[in-house]
Amino acid sequence: NYLFRRMFEEAQKLMRKQDDWCDAATRIHKTFPTNKPVDEFKVTRLTESYPEDLDLNSLVALLRKQVNLNVHCYLPQDIEAMVHHSLEFDFEIAAFHHALSAWQVPEIIKRAKTNITIATFAGKCAT
């Protein structure tokens, strides 16, 4: 849980930096003259490049709802943790795969913001 939360907090920070960079770029672009050529020597420029981090790009895309999340969860406590994290960090879970214990925690799954697909298979019965 600690590492999961830490990575999502870092992804949130990166996303805010990216949003701030885009806002600044948009404000600068609005200062360009529309009826004459732009003088490259008089243009205000951003001093930093677009913030990116290869380790966090997928998580930022998840936070931006640009990708679907499919999670392998077997145990009720794993399902509960993922639903909790999705609510805390505002991302959506598309599906839980191999969720053999999902039938034990329907109320937890219903807490999610969207319907979550449960993709499972028949388990081995204890005899």
Side-chain angles (χ1 to χ4, degrees):
N1 271 342
Y2 168 76
L3 291 176
F4 188 95
R5 291 186 83 255
R6 193 173 113 226
M7 293 302 291
F8 267 89
E9 287 171 357
E10 291 299 315
Q12 280 180 328
K13 288 178 190 174
L14 178 59
M15 186 172 72
R16 281 192 290 275
K17 286 180 183 177
Q18 290 174 345
D19 291 345
D20 290 345
W21 190 95
C22 288
D23 289 344
T26 300
R27 284 193 309 276
I28 289 170
H29 186 264
K30 287 180 181 179
T31 66
F32 287 11
T34 56
N35 55 355
K36 60 181 178 176
V38 175
D39 183 347
E40 290 293 322
F41 296 105
K42 294 183 180 180
V43 171
T44 302
R45 297 182 184 277
L46 292 169
T47 58
E48 297 177 17
S49 60
Y50 183 75
E52 292 184 284
D53 183 333
L54 191 57
D55 292 333
L56 298 174
N57 285 345
S58 294
L59 292 180
V60 171
L62 179 63
L63 293 175
R64 292 188 188 283
K65 297 174 180 36
Q66 296 170 330
V67 296
N68 292 324
L69 179 65
N70 289 268
V71 184
H72 286 252
C73 279
Y74 293 88
L75 303 174
Q77 58 267 32
D78 296 333
I79 293 169
E80 182 174 20
M82 285 306 302
V83 169
H84 176 78
H85 293 316
S86 74
L87 295 171
E88 179 181 4
F89 292 101
D90 192 29
F91 64 86
E92 297 173 2
I93 301 167
F96 285 130
H97 292 263
H98 301 177
L100 295 177
S101 299
W103 65 272
Q104 296 174 332
V105 289
E107 295 307 315
I108 290 171
I109 295 169
K110 289 178 188 176
R111 275 193 254 146
K113 289 183 176 184
T114 59
N115 289 329
I116 299 173
T117 298
I118 305 300
T120 189
F121 50 86
K124 188 176 179 181
C125 294
T127 56

